[in-house]
Amino acid sequence: YTLICQYGGTQMENVIINKRQEEIVALASNGYTEDAIASSLGISRSTVKYHKQKLFRSLGVCSMNEVIKKIYEYKLKKGTR
C-alpha cells in the first residue's frame, strides 16, 4: 500500500491555522492519538480527522509529523515558540 500525497507545498506565511487546529497539533506533538485528542477536546474522532485533513491541504503535507515539523520550523524561523 502506497500513500500518494495530493497536496502541493505551501508557504507558512500564507496559512491561517485556527484555534482548534492549534490544539490538535499541540496534542499530536505530545503523542496523543486521534481518539485521545477527541476525548481531550470533547469532539468526535471524525472532527479530529476533518481538522487534520484541512491542515494537510493548507500546509501541502500528508502527515501530522510533517504538519508538526513545518510549524516548528516556521516558529524557529520567526523566533517564536
Side-chain angles (χ1 to χ4, degrees):
Y1 137 75
T2 305
L3 175 66
I4 299 174
C5 185
Q6 62 187 356
Y7 311 122
T10 303
Q11 295 297 319
M12 282 294 296
E13 287 82 7
N14 302 327
V15 175
I16 296 172
I17 297 174
N18 67 38
K19 181 172 174 43
R20 181 63 82 194
Q21 291 166 341
E22 286 181 19
E23 293 168 336
I24 289 170
V25 170
L27 292 171
S29 69
N30 285 310
Y32 282 56
T33 64
E34 285 179 352
D35 288 330
I37 292 169
S39 177
S40 292
L41 298 177
I43 59 177
S44 70
R45 185 171 183 230
S46 63
T47 300
V48 173
K49 286 184 170 198
Y50 168 79
H51 284 294
K52 286 175 57 177
Q53 288 302 314
K54 283 192 71 166
L55 283 164
F56 295 169
R57 280 192 302 276
S58 295
L59 296 174
V61 299
C62 295
S63 72
M64 279 306 290
N65 285 339
E66 290 176 289
V67 169
I68 293 163
K69 180 181 177 203
K70 203 160 192 176
I71 291 172
Y72 179 76
E73 288 172 348
Y74 175 76
K75 287 182 175 184
L76 281 179
K77 182 176 141 188
K78 291 293 185 185
T80 60
R81 284 203 173 202

